[in-house]
Amino acid sequence: MLYLCTVITVSSVIPPGSLMGLVKNKTAKEIHAKLLKSAKAEVERTLNYQASIYCKSKGVKAYYKIIVNGNIAEEILKTAKQKLIDLIVIGSQGLHGISKIKTLGSVSRRVSELADCAVLIVR
């Protein structure tokens, strides 16, 4: 069985720069809510597609969970504990230069350090 988990955070949804200042008719809170709703719908379409095409077509049971607004590492760890996950597969941040040598991405590093199960970090 495969369990897909995605955490949508404010920083991954709000457009960078001064784009928020260009919209005068809506408050930042309304824009933020609309962006989160849109992001969640897109993630749901993607996870549903991945679960059906890549998993169910090959006889693998796949489930997914979308979490909105949470600490990414903590939500992954909490979900893994709740679902009794045996292995967490997580991507590492694509760092460059000296950062690449010194550390993994902060989320993958934190998950690998605190998980109660095995963690496979994919680059």
Side-chain angles (χ1 to χ4, degrees):
M1 177 174 20
L2 184 63
Y3 199 84
L4 306 168
C5 178
T6 298
V7 181
I8 301 170
T9 61
V10 174
S11 62
S12 66
V13 174
I14 292 181
S18 61
L19 182 60
M20 295 292 280
L22 294 176
V23 181
K24 306 235 186 249
N25 296 346
K26 294 188 177 192
T27 67
K29 201 173 205 178
E30 289 173 321
I31 294 169
H32 176 256
K34 192 171 187 175
L35 288 171
L36 277 177
K37 184 178 179 182
S38 175
K40 185 175 180 184
E42 181 62 29
V43 167
E44 185 147 16
R45 277 191 298 276
T46 300
L47 290 177
N48 191 31
Y49 176 80
Q50 291 171 343
S52 64
I53 298 299
Y54 297 115
C55 300
K56 291 178 185 170
S57 66
K58 297 190 179 6
V60 175
K61 289 184 181 179
Y63 304 94
Y64 60 86
K65 178 178 185 177
I66 302 168
I67 301 163
V68 178
N69 282 337
N71 177 289
I72 299 169
E74 288 175 15
E75 294 296 339
I76 290 170
L77 292 166
K78 185 169 44 172
T79 300
K81 190 172 248 183
Q82 289 171 347
K83 299 296 180 184
L84 303 174
I85 300 298
D86 297 319
L87 172 67
I88 296 172
V89 179
I90 188 169
S92 69
Q93 183 75 20
L95 300 174
H96 302 287
I98 195 72
S99 297
K100 185 176 183 179
I101 296 167
K102 288 172 37 177
T103 185
L104 293 169
S106 59
V107 172
S108 56
R109 181 184 47 77
R110 185 165 169 85
V111 168
S112 68
E113 290 173 355
L114 299 175
D116 292 335
C117 63
V119 177
L120 173 63
I121 299 174
V122 180
R123 187 174 145 196

